Coordinates of all heavy atoms in Angstrom, one line a residue:
M1 N 107.4 83.9 87.2 CA 106.2 83.7 86.6 C 105.8 82.2 86.7 O 104.7 81.8 86.5 CB 106.0 84.2 85.1 CG 106.4 85.7 84.9 SD 105.8 86.7 86.1 CE 107.2 87.8 86.4
K2 N 106.9 81.4 86.8 CA 106.7 80.0 86.9 C 105.7 79.5 87.9 O 105.0 78.6 87.6 CB 108.1 79.3 87.0 CG 108.0 77.8 87.0 CD 109.4 77.2 87.2 CE 109.4 75.7 87.2 NZ 108.4 75.0 87.8
C3 N 105.8 80.2 89.1 CA 104.8 79.7 90.1 C 103.3 80.0 89.7 O 102.5 79.1 90.1 CB 105.2 80.4 91.4 SG 106.8 80.1 92.1
F4 N 103.1 81.0 89.0 CA 101.7 81.3 88.6 C 101.2 80.2 87.6 O 100.2 79.7 87.7 CB 101.6 82.6 87.9 CG 101.6 83.8 88.9 CD1 102.8 84.4 89.2 CD2 100.4 84.2 89.6 CE1 102.8 85.5 90.1 CE2 100.4 85.3 90.4 CZ 101.6 85.9 90.7
G5 N 102.1 79.8 86.7 CA 101.9 78.8 85.7 C 101.7 77.5 86.4 O 100.8 76.6 86.1
D6 N 102.6 77.1 87.4 CA 102.5 75.9 88.2 C 101.1 75.7 88.9 O 100.5 74.7 89.0 CB 103.6 75.8 89.1 CG 105.0 75.5 88.4 OD1 105.0 75.2 87.2 OD2 106.0 75.7 89.1
A7 N 100.8 76.9 89.6 CA 99.5 76.9 90.2 C 98.3 76.7 89.4 O 97.4 75.9 89.7 CB 99.4 78.2 91.0
A8 N 98.3 77.3 88.2 CA 97.3 77.1 87.2 C 97.2 75.7 86.7 O 96.1 75.1 86.5 CB 97.5 78.0 86.0
R9 N 98.3 75.1 86.4 CA 98.4 73.7 86.0 C 97.8 72.8 87.1 O 97.0 71.8 86.8 CB 99.9 73.3 85.7 CG 100.0 71.8 85.3 CD 101.5 71.4 85.2 NE 102.4 71.9 86.3 CZ 102.3 71.3 87.5 NH1 101.6 70.3 87.8 NH2 103.2 71.8 88.4
R10 N 98.2 73.1 88.3 CA 97.6 72.2 89.5 C 96.1 72.4 89.6 O 95.4 71.4 89.8 CB 98.2 72.6 90.8 CG 99.6 72.1 90.9 CD 100.2 72.2 92.3 NE 100.2 73.6 92.8 CZ 101.1 74.5 92.6 NH1 102.2 74.1 92.0 NH2 101.0 75.7 93.1
A11 N 95.6 73.5 89.3 CA 94.1 73.8 89.3 C 93.4 73.0 88.2 O 92.4 72.4 88.4 CB 93.8 75.3 89.1
V12 N 94.0 72.9 87.1 CA 93.5 72.1 86.0 C 93.6 70.6 86.4 O 92.5 69.9 86.1 CB 94.3 72.4 84.6 CG1 93.8 71.4 83.6 CG2 94.0 73.8 84.2
E13 N 94.7 70.2 86.8 CA 94.8 68.8 87.2 C 93.8 68.4 88.4 O 93.4 67.3 88.4 CB 96.2 68.5 87.8 CG 97.3 68.5 86.7 CD 98.6 68.5 87.3 OE1 98.9 68.5 88.4 OE2 99.6 68.5 86.4
A14 N 93.3 69.5 89.1 CA 92.4 69.2 90.1 C 91.0 69.1 89.6 O 90.0 68.9 90.3 CB 92.5 70.2 91.3
G15 N 90.7 69.5 88.3 CA 89.5 69.6 87.7 C 88.8 70.8 87.5 O 87.6 70.9 87.1
C16 N 89.5 72.0 87.7 CA 88.9 73.3 87.4 C 88.6 73.4 85.9 O 89.4 73.0 85.1 CB 89.9 74.4 87.9 SG 90.0 74.4 89.7
D17 N 87.5 74.1 85.6 CA 87.1 74.4 84.3 C 87.7 75.6 83.7 O 87.5 75.9 82.5 CB 85.5 74.4 84.3 CG 84.9 73.2 84.6 OD1 85.5 72.1 84.3 OD2 83.8 73.2 85.2
F18 N 88.2 76.5 84.5 CA 88.8 77.7 84.1 C 89.9 78.1 85.1 O 89.9 77.5 86.2 CB 87.8 78.8 83.8 CG 87.2 79.3 85.1 CD1 87.8 80.3 85.9 CD2 86.0 78.6 85.6 CE1 87.1 80.8 87.0 CE2 85.4 79.1 86.7 CZ 86.0 80.2 87.4
V19 N 90.7 79.1 84.8 CA 91.6 79.7 85.7 C 91.4 81.2 85.9 O 91.2 81.9 84.8 CB 93.1 79.4 85.3 CG1 94.1 80.1 86.2 CG2 93.5 77.9 85.3
G20 N 91.3 81.7 87.1 CA 91.1 83.1 87.3 C 92.4 83.7 87.9 O 93.0 83.2 88.7
I21 N 92.7 84.9 87.3 CA 94.0 85.7 87.9 C 93.3 86.9 88.5 O 92.6 87.7 87.8 CB 94.9 85.9 86.6 CG1 95.4 84.6 85.9 CG2 96.0 86.8 87.2 CD1 96.2 84.9 84.8
H22 N 93.8 87.1 89.7 CA 93.3 88.3 90.4 C 94.3 89.4 90.2 O 95.3 89.5 90.9 CB 93.1 88.0 91.9 CG 92.2 89.0 92.6 ND1 92.4 90.3 92.5 CD2 91.2 88.8 93.6 CE1 91.5 91.0 93.2 NE2 90.8 90.1 93.8
G23 N 94.0 90.3 89.3 CA 94.8 91.5 89.0 C 94.3 92.8 89.5 O 94.4 93.9 88.9
A24 N 93.4 92.8 90.6 CA 92.7 94.0 91.0 C 92.9 94.3 92.5 O 93.6 93.5 93.2 CB 91.2 93.8 90.7
H25 N 92.2 95.3 92.9 CA 92.1 95.6 94.3 C 93.3 95.7 95.2 O 93.2 95.3 96.4 CB 91.0 94.7 94.9 CG 89.8 94.5 94.1 ND1 89.4 93.4 93.6 CD2 88.9 95.5 93.7 CE1 88.3 93.5 92.9 NE2 88.0 94.8 92.9
G26 N 94.4 96.2 94.7 CA 95.6 96.3 95.5 C 96.4 95.1 95.7 O 97.4 95.2 96.5
Y27 N 96.0 94.0 95.2 CA 96.9 92.7 95.3 C 98.1 92.9 94.4 O 98.3 93.9 93.7 CB 96.0 91.5 94.9 CG 95.0 91.2 96.0 CD1 93.7 91.7 96.0 CD2 95.4 90.3 97.1 CE1 92.8 91.4 96.9 CE2 94.4 90.0 98.1 CZ 93.2 90.6 98.0 OH 92.3 90.3 99.0
L28 N 99.0 92.0 94.5 CA 100.4 92.0 94.0 C 100.4 92.4 92.5 O 101.1 93.4 92.2 CB 101.1 90.7 94.2 CG 102.5 90.6 93.5 CD1 103.4 91.5 94.3 CD2 103.0 89.2 93.6
I29 N 99.5 91.8 91.7 CA 99.6 92.1 90.3 C 99.2 93.5 90.0 O 99.8 94.2 89.2 CB 98.8 91.1 89.5 CG1 99.3 89.7 89.6 CG2 98.8 91.5 87.9 CD1 98.3 88.7 89.1
S30 N 98.1 93.9 90.7 CA 97.7 95.3 90.5 C 98.7 96.3 91.1 O 98.8 97.5 90.6 CB 96.3 95.6 91.1 OG 96.4 95.5 92.6
Q31 N 99.4 96.0 92.1 CA 100.5 96.9 92.6 C 101.6 97.1 91.6 O 102.1 98.2 91.5 CB 101.2 96.3 93.8 CG 100.3 96.3 95.0 CD 100.8 95.6 96.3 OE1 102.0 95.2 96.3 NE2 100.0 95.4 97.3
F32 N 101.9 96.1 90.8 CA 102.8 96.3 89.7 C 102.3 97.2 88.6 O 103.0 98.0 88.0 CB 103.3 95.0 89.1 CG 104.5 94.4 89.8 CD1 104.4 93.6 91.0 CD2 105.8 94.6 89.3 CE1 105.4 93.1 91.6 CE2 106.9 94.0 90.0 CZ 106.7 93.2 91.1
F33 N 101.0 97.1 88.4 CA 100.3 97.9 87.3 C 100.1 99.3 87.7 O 100.1 100.2 86.9 CB 99.0 97.2 86.9 CG 98.3 97.9 85.7 CD1 99.0 98.2 84.6 CD2 97.0 98.2 85.8 CE1 98.2 98.8 83.5 CE2 96.3 98.8 84.8 CZ 97.0 99.1 83.7
S34 N 99.9 99.5 89.0 CA 99.5 100.8 89.5 C 100.8 101.8 89.7 O 101.7 101.6 90.3 CB 99.0 100.7 90.8 OG 98.8 102.0 91.5
P35 N 100.6 103.1 89.0 CA 101.6 104.0 89.2 C 101.7 104.5 90.6 O 102.6 105.2 91.0 CB 101.3 105.2 88.2 CG 99.8 105.0 88.0 CD 99.5 103.5 88.1
Y36 N 100.6 104.4 91.3 CA 100.6 104.9 92.7 C 101.4 103.9 93.6 O 102.1 104.4 94.4 CB 99.1 104.9 93.2 CG 98.9 105.2 94.7 CD1 99.0 106.6 95.0 CD2 98.6 104.3 95.6 CE1 98.9 106.9 96.4 CE2 98.5 104.7 96.9 CZ 98.6 106.0 97.3 OH 98.5 106.4 98.6
A37 N 101.3 102.6 93.4 CA 102.0 101.7 94.2 C 103.4 101.4 93.6 O 104.3 101.0 94.4 CB 101.2 100.4 94.3
N38 N 103.5 101.3 92.3 CA 104.8 100.9 91.7 C 105.8 102.0 91.5 O 105.6 102.8 90.6 CB 104.5 100.2 90.4 CG 105.7 99.6 89.7 OD1 106.8 99.9 90.1 ND2 105.5 98.8 88.7
K39 N 106.7 102.1 92.4 CA 107.7 103.1 92.2 C 109.1 102.7 91.7 O 110.1 103.3 91.9 CB 108.1 103.8 93.7 CG 106.8 104.4 94.3 CD 106.1 105.4 93.4 CE 104.8 106.0 94.1 NZ 104.1 106.7 93.3
R40 N 109.1 101.4 91.1 CA 110.3 100.8 90.5 C 110.8 101.6 89.4 O 110.1 102.3 88.7 CB 110.0 99.4 90.2 CG 109.4 98.5 91.2 CD 108.9 97.2 90.7 NE 110.0 96.4 90.2 CZ 110.5 95.3 90.7 NH1 110.0 94.8 91.8 NH2 111.4 94.6 90.0
D41 N 112.1 101.5 89.2 CA 112.7 102.1 88.1 C 113.5 101.2 87.1 O 114.4 101.5 86.4 CB 113.6 103.2 88.4 CG 114.8 102.8 89.3 OD1 114.9 101.6 89.5 OD2 115.6 103.6 89.7
D42 N 112.9 99.9 87.2 CA 113.6 98.8 86.3 C 112.6 98.5 85.2 O 111.7 99.2 84.8 CB 114.0 97.7 87.2 CG 112.7 97.0 87.9 OD1 111.6 97.4 87.7 OD2 112.9 96.1 88.7
D43 N 112.7 97.2 84.7 CA 111.8 96.8 83.6 C 110.4 96.6 84.0 O 109.6 96.4 83.1 CB 112.4 95.4 83.0 CG 113.7 95.7 82.3 OD1 114.0 96.8 81.9 OD2 114.4 94.6 82.1
Y44 N 110.0 96.6 85.2 CA 108.7 96.5 85.8 C 108.1 97.7 86.3 O 107.0 97.6 86.9 CB 108.6 95.3 86.7 CG 109.0 94.0 86.2 CD1 110.3 93.5 86.2 CD2 108.1 93.2 85.7 CE1 110.7 92.3 85.6 CE2 108.4 91.9 85.0 CZ 109.7 91.5 85.0 OH 110.0 90.3 84.5
G45 N 108.6 98.9 86.2 CA 108.1 100.1 86.7 C 108.4 101.3 85.8 O 109.1 101.2 84.8
G46 N 107.7 102.4 86.2 CA 107.9 103.6 85.4 C 106.7 103.8 84.4 O 105.5 104.0 84.9
D47 N 107.0 103.8 83.1 CA 105.9 104.1 82.2 C 105.0 103.0 82.2 O 105.1 101.9 82.6 CB 106.5 104.5 80.9 CG 107.2 103.3 80.2 OD1 107.1 102.1 80.5 OD2 108.0 103.6 79.3
L48 N 103.8 103.2 81.5 CA 102.8 102.2 81.4 C 103.2 101.0 80.7 O 102.8 99.8 81.2 CB 101.5 102.9 80.5 CG 100.4 101.9 80.3 CD1 99.7 101.5 81.6 CD2 99.4 102.6 79.4
E49 N 104.0 101.0 79.7 CA 104.4 99.8 79.0 C 105.2 98.8 80.0 O 104.9 97.7 80.0 CB 105.3 100.2 77.8 CG 105.7 99.1 77.0 CD 104.6 98.5 76.2 OE1 103.6 99.2 75.8 OE2 104.7 97.2 75.9
R50 N 106.1 99.5 80.8 CA 106.8 98.7 81.8 C 105.9 98.1 82.9 O 106.2 97.0 83.4 CB 108.0 99.4 82.2 CG 109.1 99.5 81.1 CD 110.3 100.2 81.6 NE 110.1 101.6 82.0 CZ 110.8 102.4 82.6 NH1 111.9 101.9 83.3 NH2 110.5 103.7 82.9
R51 N 105.0 98.9 83.3 CA 104.1 98.5 84.4 C 103.2 97.3 83.9 O 102.6 96.6 84.8 CB 103.3 99.6 84.9 CG 104.2 100.6 85.7 CD 103.3 101.7 86.4 NE 102.9 102.7 85.4 CZ 101.6 102.9 85.1 NH1 100.6 102.2 85.6 NH2 101.3 103.8 84.1
M52 N 102.9 97.2 82.6 CA 102.1 96.2 82.1 C 102.8 94.8 82.0 O 102.3 93.8 81.9 CB 101.6 96.6 80.7 CG 100.5 97.6 80.7 SD 99.6 97.8 79.0 CE 100.8 98.6 78.1
R53 N 104.1 94.9 82.1 CA 105.0 93.7 81.9 C 104.7 92.5 82.8 O 104.5 91.4 82.4 CB 106.5 94.2 82.0 CG 107.4 93.0 81.7 CD 108.8 93.5 81.8 NE 109.7 92.3 81.5 CZ 110.8 92.4 80.8 NH1 111.2 93.6 80.5 NH2 111.6 91.4 80.6
F54 N 104.5 92.9 84.1 CA 104.3 91.8 85.1 C 102.9 91.1 84.9 O 103.0 89.8 84.8 CB 104.4 92.4 86.5 CG 104.3 91.4 87.7 CD1 105.4 90.5 87.8 CD2 103.3 91.4 88.5 CE1 105.3 89.6 88.9 CE2 103.3 90.4 89.6 CZ 104.3 89.6 89.8
P55 N 101.9 91.8 84.7 CA 100.7 91.1 84.5 C 100.7 90.3 83.1 O 100.2 89.2 83.0 CB 99.5 92.1 84.4 CG 100.2 93.5 84.5 CD 101.6 93.2 85.0
L56 N 101.3 90.9 82.1 CA 101.3 90.2 80.9 C 102.2 89.0 80.9 O 101.9 87.9 80.3 CB 101.8 91.1 79.8 CG 100.8 92.2 79.4 CD1 101.5 93.2 78.4 CD2 99.5 91.7 78.8
E57 N 103.3 89.0 81.6 CA 104.2 87.8 81.7 C 103.4 86.7 82.5 O 103.5 85.5 82.2 CB 105.5 88.1 82.4 CG 106.4 89.0 81.5 CD 107.7 89.2 82.1 OE1 108.0 88.8 83.3 OE2 108.6 89.8 81.4
I58 N 102.7 87.1 83.5 CA 101.9 86.1 84.3 C 100.8 85.4 83.4 O 100.7 84.2 83.4 CB 101.2 86.8 85.5 CG1 102.3 87.1 86.6 CG2 100.1 85.9 86.1 CD1 101.8 88.0 87.7
V59 N 100.1 86.2 82.7 CA 99.1 85.6 81.8 C 99.8 84.6 80.7 O 99.2 83.5 80.5 CB 98.3 86.7 81.0 CG1 97.4 86.2 80.0 CG2 97.5 87.4 82.0
A60 N 100.9 85.1 80.2 CA 101.6 84.2 79.3 C 102.1 82.9 79.9 O 101.9 81.8 79.3 CB 102.7 85.0 78.6
A61 N 102.5 83.0 81.1 CA 103.0 81.8 81.8 C 101.8 80.8 82.1 O 101.9 79.6 81.9 CB 103.8 82.2 83.1
V62 N 100.7 81.4 82.5 CA 99.5 80.7 82.8 C 99.0 80.0 81.5 O 98.6 78.8 81.5 CB 98.4 81.5 83.5 CG1 97.1 80.7 83.5 CG2 98.9 81.9 84.9
R63 N 99.0 80.8 80.4 CA 98.5 80.2 79.2 C 99.4 79.0 78.7 O 98.8 78.0 78.2 CB 98.4 81.3 78.1 CG 98.0 80.8 76.7 CD 96.7 80.0 76.6 NE 95.5 80.8 76.9 CZ 94.4 80.4 77.4 NH1 94.3 79.0 77.6 NH2 93.4 81.1 77.6
R64 N 100.7 79.2 78.9 CA 101.6 78.1 78.5 C 101.3 76.9 79.4 O 101.4 75.7 78.9 CB 103.0 78.5 78.7 CG 103.6 79.4 77.5 CD 105.1 79.6 77.6 NE 105.5 80.1 78.9 CZ 105.7 81.3 79.2 NH1 105.3 82.3 78.3 NH2 106.1 81.7 80.4
A65 N 101.0 77.0 80.6 CA 100.8 75.9 81.5 C 99.5 75.2 81.3 O 99.4 74.0 81.6 CB 100.8 76.4 83.0
V66 N 98.4 75.9 80.9 CA 97.1 75.3 80.8 C 96.7 74.9 79.4 O 95.7 74.3 79.1 CB 95.9 76.1 81.4 CG1 96.3 76.4 82.8 CG2 95.8 77.5 80.7
G67 N 97.5 75.4 78.4 CA 97.2 75.1 77.0 C 96.2 76.1 76.4 O 95.8 77.0 77.1
P68 N 95.9 75.9 75.1 CA 95.2 76.9 74.3 C 93.7 77.0 74.6 O 93.0 78.0 74.3 CB 95.5 76.6 73.0 CG 95.7 75.1 73.0 CD 96.3 74.9 74.3
D69 N 93.1 75.9 75.2 CA 91.7 75.9 75.2 C 91.0 76.2 76.5 O 89.8 76.6 76.5 CB 91.2 74.4 74.8 CG 91.6 74.1 73.4 OD1 91.6 74.9 72.5 OD2 92.0 72.9 73.2
L70 N 91.7 76.1 77.6 CA 91.1 76.4 78.9 C 90.9 77.9 79.1 O 91.7 78.7 78.8 CB 91.9 75.9 80.1 CG 91.4 76.0 81.4 CD1 90.5 74.7 81.6 CD2 92.3 76.1 82.5
P71 N 89.7 78.3 79.5 CA 89.4 79.8 79.7 C 90.3 80.3 80.9 O 90.4 79.7 81.8 CB 87.9 79.9 80.1 CG 87.3 78.6 79.5 CD 88.4 77.5 79.6
I72 N 90.8 81.5 80.6 CA 91.6 82.2 81.6 C 90.8 83.6 81.8 O 90.6 84.3 80.9 CB 93.0 82.6 81.1 CG1 93.8 81.3 81.0 CG2 93.6 83.5 82.3 CD1 95.2 81.5 80.5
L73 N 90.4 83.8 83.1 CA 89.7 85.0 83.4 C 90.6 85.9 84.1 O 91.6 85.5 84.8 CB 88.5 84.8 84.3 CG 87.5 83.8 83.7 CD1 87.0 82.8 84.7 CD2 86.4 84.6 83.1
Y74 N 90.5 87.2 84.0 CA 91.4 88.2 84.6 C 90.6 89.3 85.3 O 89.8 90.0 84.6 CB 92.4 88.9 83.6 CG 93.5 89.6 84.2 CD1 94.8 89.0 84.4 CD2 93.3 90.9 84.6 CE1 95.8 89.8 85.0 CE2 94.3 91.7 85.1 CZ 95.6 91.1 85.3 OH 96.6 91.9 85.8
R75 N 90.7 89.4 86.6 CA 90.0 90.5 87.3 C 90.9 91.7 87.4 O 92.0 91.7 87.7 CB 89.7 90.0 88.7 CG 88.8 91.0 89.5 CD 88.4 90.3 90.8 NE 87.4 91.2 91.3 CZ 86.2 90.8 91.9 NH1 86.0 89.6 92.0 NH2 85.3 91.6 92.4
L76 N 90.3 92.8 87.0 CA 91.0 94.1 86.8 C 90.2 95.3 87.4 O 89.1 95.4 87.1 CB 91.3 94.3 85.3 CG 92.0 95.5 84.8 CD1 93.5 95.5 85.3 CD2 92.1 95.5 83.3
S77 N 90.9 96.1 88.2 CA 90.3 97.3 88.7 C 90.1 98.3 87.5 O 91.1 98.6 86.8 CB 91.1 98.0 89.8 OG 91.2 97.1 90.9
G78 N 89.1 99.0 87.5 CA 88.8 100.0 86.4 C 89.5 101.4 86.7 O 89.8 102.1 85.8
D79 N 89.6 101.6 87.9 CA 90.1 103.0 88.4 C 90.4 102.8 89.8 O 89.6 102.4 90.7 CB 89.0 104.0 88.1 CG 89.6 105.4 88.2 OD1 90.5 105.7 89.1 OD2 89.2 106.3 87.4
E80 N 91.6 103.3 90.2 CA 92.0 103.3 91.7 C 91.4 104.5 92.5 O 91.4 104.4 93.7 CB 93.5 103.2 91.8 CG 94.1 101.8 91.6 CD 95.6 101.8 92.0 OE1 96.3 102.6 91.4 OE2 95.9 101.1 92.9
H81 N 91.0 105.4 91.7 CA 90.5 106.7 92.4 C 91.5 107.2 93.4 O 91.1 107.6 94.5 CB 89.1 106.4 93.1 CG 88.1 105.9 92.1 ND1 87.5 106.7 91.2 CD2 87.6 104.7 92.0 CE1 86.6 106.0 90.5 NE2 86.6 104.8 90.9
Q82 N 92.7 107.3 93.1 CA 93.8 107.9 93.9 C 94.0 109.2 93.5 O 94.5 109.5 92.3 CB 95.0 107.0 93.8 CG 94.9 105.7 94.4 CD 94.9 105.8 95.9 OE1 95.3 106.7 96.5 NE2 94.4 104.7 96.5
P83 N 93.9 110.2 94.4 CA 94.2 111.6 94.0 C 95.6 111.8 93.6 O 95.9 112.8 92.8 CB 93.8 112.4 95.2 CG 93.7 111.5 96.3 CD 93.4 110.1 95.7
A84 N 96.5 111.0 94.2 CA 97.9 111.2 93.9 C 98.4 110.3 92.7 O 99.6 110.2 92.5 CB 98.7 110.7 95.1
G85 N 97.4 109.9 92.0 CA 97.8 109.1 90.7 C 97.7 107.6 91.0 O 98.2 107.1 92.0
G86 N 96.9 107.0 90.2 CA 96.8 105.5 90.3 C 96.3 104.9 88.9 O 96.3 105.7 87.9
I87 N 95.9 103.7 88.9 CA 95.3 103.1 87.7 C 94.1 103.9 87.2 O 93.3 104.3 88.0 CB 94.9 101.6 88.0 CG1 96.1 100.8 88.4 CG2 94.2 101.1 86.8 CD1 95.7 99.5 88.9
T88 N 94.1 104.3 86.0 CA 93.0 105.0 85.4 C 92.3 104.2 84.3 O 92.8 103.2 83.9 CB 93.5 106.3 84.7 OG1 94.3 106.0 83.6 CG2 94.2 107.2 85.7
L89 N 91.1 104.6 83.9 CA 90.4 104.0 82.9 C 91.3 103.9 81.6 O 91.2 102.9 80.9 CB 89.1 104.5 82.6 CG 88.1 103.9 81.6 CD1 87.9 102.4 82.0 CD2 86.8 104.6 81.5
Q90 N 91.9 104.9 81.3 CA 92.9 105.0 80.2 C 93.9 103.9 80.2 O 94.2 103.2 79.3 CB 93.5 106.3 80.1 CG 94.4 106.5 78.8 CD 95.0 107.9 78.7 OE1 94.8 108.7 79.5 NE2 95.7 108.0 77.7
D91 N 94.5 103.6 81.4 CA 95.4 102.6 81.6 C 94.8 101.3 81.4 O 95.4 100.4 80.7 CB 96.0 102.6 83.0 CG 96.8 103.8 83.4 OD1 97.3 104.5 82.5 OD2 96.9 104.2 84.7
V92 N 93.6 101.1 82.0 CA 92.9 99.8 81.8 C 92.6 99.5 80.3 O 92.7 98.4 79.8 CB 91.6 99.8 82.7 CG1 90.8 98.5 82.4 CG2 92.1 99.8 84.2
C93 N 92.2 100.6 79.6 CA 91.8 100.4 78.2 C 93.1 100.0 77.4 O 93.0 99.4 76.3 CB 91.2 101.7 77.7 SG 89.5 101.9 78.3
A94 N 94.2 100.4 77.9 CA 95.4 100.0 77.2 C 95.9 98.6 77.5 O 96.4 97.8 76.6 CB 96.6 101.0 77.6
L95 N 95.7 98.2 78.7 CA 96.0 96.8 79.2 C 95.1 95.7 78.7 O 95.5 94.7 78.3 CB 96.0 96.8 80.7 CG 96.4 95.5 81.3 CD1 97.8 94.9 80.9 CD2 96.4 95.6 82.9
A96 N 93.8 96.0 78.6 CA 92.8 94.9 78.3 C 93.1 94.2 77.0 O 93.1 93.0 76.9 CB 91.4 95.5 78.3
P97 N 93.3 94.9 75.9 CA 93.6 94.2 74.7 C 94.9 93.4 74.6 O 95.1 92.4 74.0 CB 93.6 95.3 73.6 CG 93.7 96.5 74.3 CD 93.2 96.4 75.7
R98 N 95.9 94.0 75.4 CA 97.1 93.2 75.6 C 96.9 92.0 76.4 O 97.6 91.0 76.1 CB 98.2 94.2 76.3 CG 98.5 95.4 75.6 CD 99.4 95.2 74.4 NE 100.7 94.7 74.9 CZ 101.8 95.5 75.3 NH1 101.6 96.8 75.4 NH2 102.8 94.9 75.7
L99 N 96.1 92.0 77.4 CA 95.8 90.8 78.2 C 95.1 89.8 77.3 O 95.5 88.6 77.4 CB 94.9 91.1 79.4 CG 95.5 91.9 80.5 CD1 94.3 92.3 81.5 CD2 96.5 91.1 81.3
E100 N 94.2 90.2 76.5 CA 93.6 89.2 75.5 C 94.6 88.7 74.7 O 94.5 87.5 74.3 CB 92.5 89.9 74.7 CG 91.7 89.1 73.9 CD 90.4 89.7 73.3 OE1 90.4 91.0 73.3 OE2 89.7 89.0 72.6
A101 N 95.4 89.5 74.1 CA 96.5 89.0 73.2 C 97.4 88.0 73.8 O 97.9 87.1 73.2 CB 97.3 90.2 72.5
A102 N 97.7 88.2 75.1 CA 98.6 87.3 75.8 C 97.9 86.0 76.3 O 98.6 85.1 76.7 CB 99.1 88.0 77.1
G103 N 96.5 85.9 76.2 CA 95.9 84.6 76.5 C 94.6 84.7 77.2 O 94.1 83.7 77.6
V104 N 94.3 85.8 77.7 CA 93.0 86.0 78.6 C 91.8 85.7 77.6 O 91.8 86.3 76.6 CB 92.9 87.3 79.3 CG1 91.5 87.5 79.9 CG2 94.0 87.4 80.4
T105 N 90.9 85.0 78.1 CA 89.7 84.6 77.3 C 88.7 85.8 77.4 O 88.4 86.4 78.4 CB 89.1 83.4 77.9 OG1 90.1 82.4 77.9 CG2 87.9 82.9 77.0

């Protein structure tokens, strides 16, 4: 997670007014959150709680790097529309308040 925090810190040093985290559309963070893509059986896969771990750790690392006042935005897919199982609105509704608690503005 250090690399995400380091990148956010560099963005602030370059003059950015906020930091955006792309956790949607099949990119890495959403792959960890998605039951369709994430077939891991460790601390980062399986049930919803463990699939939320990667995005929440990233947000926490970014918040630590940029301080308490800089806005952090998080882009999140609302539904993957995967017939074989994917991110659902219920999953997103569970993750959203946790993202906010971890530091998303």
